[in-house]
Amino acid sequence: EVQLVESGGGLVQPGTSLRLSCAASGFIFSSYSMNWVRQAPGKGLEWVSYISSSSSTIYYADSVKGRLTISRDNAKNSLYLQMNNLRAEDTAVYYCAREEVYGDYDWFDPWGQGTLVTVSS
Amino acid sequence: DIQMTQSPSSLSASVGDRVTITCRASQSISGYLNWYQQKPGKAPKLLIYPASSLQSGVPSRFSGSGSGTDFTLTISSLQPEDFATYYCQQNYIAPRTFGQGTKLEIK
């Protein structure tokens, strides 16, 4: 079964750091690009970051550029999101999602169950 | 960035109703459009990609259409398990932006 399991969320103070992890199983992790998507409480989905299968290409949303860093360890089948200088507006459930590609088209499937990050003093 | 606008933002309907949700892109995205379903407290689930292909396991009462800037998600006969929030997402260009969501509620 293809599965993504996030961990590492919690309650942190503004200005501090947190590292999220996403453990992948049931597929060849090293063959897929991966994404982080977040959802603030009661709000919609916001794409956060993308990393290609070999880590050669990385993208960030403008809202997180310079503070969040995506990485992966293909040997450990794991995706990471290092979050620095956290702000209240970073409060959200963070999902990791596998990117499926067919020709020029791509979509996110599956998604992990999410991990909640709360930034508050 | 490409802006995705869904309408309506919320919708009340009854079991058995035919429902249509619209997604409009701020520029042409050809057929590069996906649809997701999210139930409360759960992760989003892929329904349709790109624009009209049904994900494996998704009931055939769901269908997608459109091209360019205007797209629709149709549920032909609402079932109790379909009450959820639906999001469109463009995959034409980075960043992969989502619509604001359409919450489908029971009337």
Side-chain angles (χ1 to χ4, degrees), chain A residues 11-84:
Chain A
L11 173 62
V12 296
Q13 294 190 334
T16 61
S17 299
L18 201 61
R19 189 196 198 201
L20 305 184
S21 298
C22 171
S25 60
F27 65 101
I28 302 173
F29 180 71
S30 59
S31 296
Y32 289 85
S33 299
M34 298 293 295
N35 291 269
W36 286 99
V37 178
R38 69 183 180 183
Q39 185 170 37
K43 302 296 185 182
L45 301 170
E46 179 189 18
W47 171 81
V48 171
S49 185
Y50 160 94
I51 187 167
S52 63
S53 57
S54 64
S55 303
S56 59
T57 302
I58 286 174
Y59 299 122
Y60 297 100
D62 288 344
S63 58
V64 305
K65 209 171 287 184
R67 299 186 301 112
L68 273 56
T69 303
I70 192 171
S71 63
R72 64 190 296 162
D73 185 335
N74 286 342
K76 294 184 177 179
N77 291 335
S78 293
L79 174 72
Y80 305 103
L81 188 65
Q82 178 67 41
M83 310 172 72
N84 296 331

Side-chain angles (χ1 to χ4, degrees), chain A residues 39 104 106-109 112, chain B residues 32 34 36 38 43 55 91 96:
Chain A
Q39 185 170 37
D104 290 337
D106 56 73
W107 53 89
F108 295 172
D109 182 63
Chain B
Y32 294 79
N34 306 317
Y36 300 88
Q38 186 180 34
Q55 168 70 333
N91 65 310
R96 300 288 194 253

